[in-house]
Amino acid sequence: MIGWWISDSRRLGVQAHGLLRAHKWWLLRRISQLSVLGLFVLGPMAGIWIARGNFAASEIGGVVTLGDPYIVVQSLFGGSVPALPVAGGALIVLLFYLVVGGRVYCGWVCPVNVVTDAAHWLREKTGLTRDRKLDRRTRLAILGSTLVASALTGTIAWEFVNPVSLLQRAFISGIGFGWAIILAVFLLDLFVSRRAWCSHLCPVGAFYGLVGKGAVVRVSAANRDACTDCGACFTICPEPHVIVPALKGNESPVILSGDCQNCGGCIDACPVDVFRVSTRWNRPAGRGGQA
C-alpha cells in the first residue's frame, strides 16, 4: 500500500521500483541542499567554522574562496571590481556549473527549492488546481532589471531581497523579514502558479540557466522507446518543457535545454526507466538510439 504522503507523480515509480529507489535522487538533493545550508549556519550557531560567509561569497576550510558569478556580474555593473580571491572563486564556481549544468544550483544547492517543492507537494495533496499562467521569460526580464538596478544604485541590488540570503540570515538570527519573504514565495507557489518562483520569476535561476546551456552533464531519455506516456516525468519536472524534444523528438534523446536542473526527478518517477544521467555528447540520432 502506498502512503498518502507519496507525491502523485512518484506513485508509478514506487509501484515499479519501491519507495527508496523512487526517491533516490530526491534524497540526494535534500542531503546536498541541507548540508550546504548547514555548513553556513554551523559557524554562527555552533562555533564550528568549516565555511565562513554565505551563498554570495565564502571561504571553505580557511583555504578556498568561492564566489557567486551572478554577484560578481552585479558588482561589475555597480561599478565595483571584486577582490581577486572573490573573482577567482567565482571563476571556479562558473567552471563547475559549465560542467555539471548551471541550474544544478537550483536543484541541488538552493535551499529555497525545498520551500517551493513543499508548496508543489501541498498543491497536489489539497487539489489546488488554479494556475495563473506566467511567462518563463519573466525571469530573464527580472535578471536584466537587477543588473540595471545595480548600475543605477552602485550596489549588488538583488541581495537586498534575495530569498536565499534572507533564509540564511533568518536561520542565524531569526530575523522576521527573512521568514516573511520565504513565506511569500511559499504562498506564491501554493496559490498563484505551479513552480511560480523557480520556473518563472527567480533571476538566479535565469542566470544559471544561461550559464548551463553548454554544460557537459545531462539527463537523457536514453530508453525513450519504452515510454508508456504515463506523464509522470512531466508532472514531476519543474521545467517540463525541457523533456519534450528529448522524449518525443526524432533527434537526440539528450535533454539539452539550459532550463533543466539535472534534478533526477524524471529518473525517480519513471516506472520503465526511460531516463538516466548522461553527457551532452551521447547523442545518437533516431528514436531507437541509445545514449
Side-chain angles (χ1 to χ4, degrees):
M1 182 177 179
I2 299 178
W4 65 269
W5 46 272
I6 298 295
S7 171
D8 294 345
S9 55
R10 295 181 190 271
R11 288 183 174 272
L12 292 176
V14 171
Q15 290 173 354
H17 302 306
L19 184 65
L20 185 59
R21 185 177 164 190
H23 289 80
K24 173 185 173 180
W25 292 96
W26 180 87
L27 286 169
L28 291 173
R29 289 196 302 116
R30 289 296 174 261
I31 291 170
S32 174
Q33 290 163 327
L34 296 177
S35 295
V36 172
L37 180 61
L39 285 176
F40 286 124
V41 302
L42 200 57
M45 296 184 71
I48 303 174
W49 295 97
I50 299 173
R52 295 176 181 270
N54 53 37
F55 286 84
S58 58
E59 185 181 76
I60 310 299
V63 177
V64 179
T65 298
L66 298 177
D68 182 355
Y70 178 41
I71 297 296
V72 170
V73 171
Q74 289 182 82
S75 178
L76 292 172
F77 268 78
S80 300
V81 178
L84 186 59
V86 175
L91 180 60
I92 293 172
V93 173
L94 183 64
L95 291 174
F96 174 76
Y97 285 124
L98 284 172
V99 173
V100 301
R103 293 208 66 197
V104 164
Y105 170 83
C106 303
W108 291 81
V109 178
C110 180
V112 177
N113 176 258
V114 179
V115 176
T116 58
D117 274 1
H120 179 65
W121 176 85
L122 194 56
R123 279 177 70 91
E124 282 189 349
K125 295 306 168 186
T126 56
L128 290 171
T129 57
R130 184 177 182 182
D131 200 2
R132 294 185 181 275
K133 298 302 179 184
L134 301 175
D135 193 324
R136 291 190 305 273
R137 292 171 296 183
T138 304
R139 61 188 173 197
L140 292 171
I142 296 175
L143 170 61
S145 297
T146 65
L147 300 180
V148 172
S150 293
L152 293 176
T153 62
T155 65
I156 301 174
W158 176 244
E159 281 304 287
F160 290 105
V161 293
N162 184 358
V164 176
S165 300
L166 292 174
L167 180 61
Q168 181 184 349
R169 294 171 201 158
F171 268 105
I172 295 171
S173 64
I175 185 170
F177 180 66
W179 291 117
I181 293 293
I182 297 303
L183 178 61
V185 170
F186 177 79
L187 294 177
L188 176 73
D189 271 34
L190 181 61
F191 292 113
V192 177
S193 181
R194 176 185 185 270
R195 309 287 188 185
W197 179 253
C198 294
S199 296
H200 299 89
L201 301 177
C202 179
V204 181
F207 177 83
Y208 280 113
L210 295 174
V211 167
K213 280 184 177 294
V216 175
V217 178
R218 296 291 185 180
V219 173
S220 171
N223 192 29
R224 61 186 176 186
D225 285 344
C227 179
T228 62
D229 293 321
C230 68
C233 57
F234 290 101
T235 303
I236 201 168
C237 183
E239 302 278 0
H241 66 281
V242 308
I243 295 176
V244 177
L247 185 62
K248 299 300 181 182
N250 292 317
E251 299 299 327
S252 170
V254 180
I255 297 174
L256 295 172
S257 172
D259 288 342
C260 179
Q261 297 182 13
N262 283 358
C263 66
C266 55
I267 302 175
D268 279 347
C270 182
V272 292
D273 296 327
V274 166
F275 300 93
R276 72 184 187 198
V277 176
S278 182
T279 70
R280 68 181 301 109
W281 296 296
N282 289 337
R283 302 173 58 184
R287 288 194 56 82
Q290 294 294 308

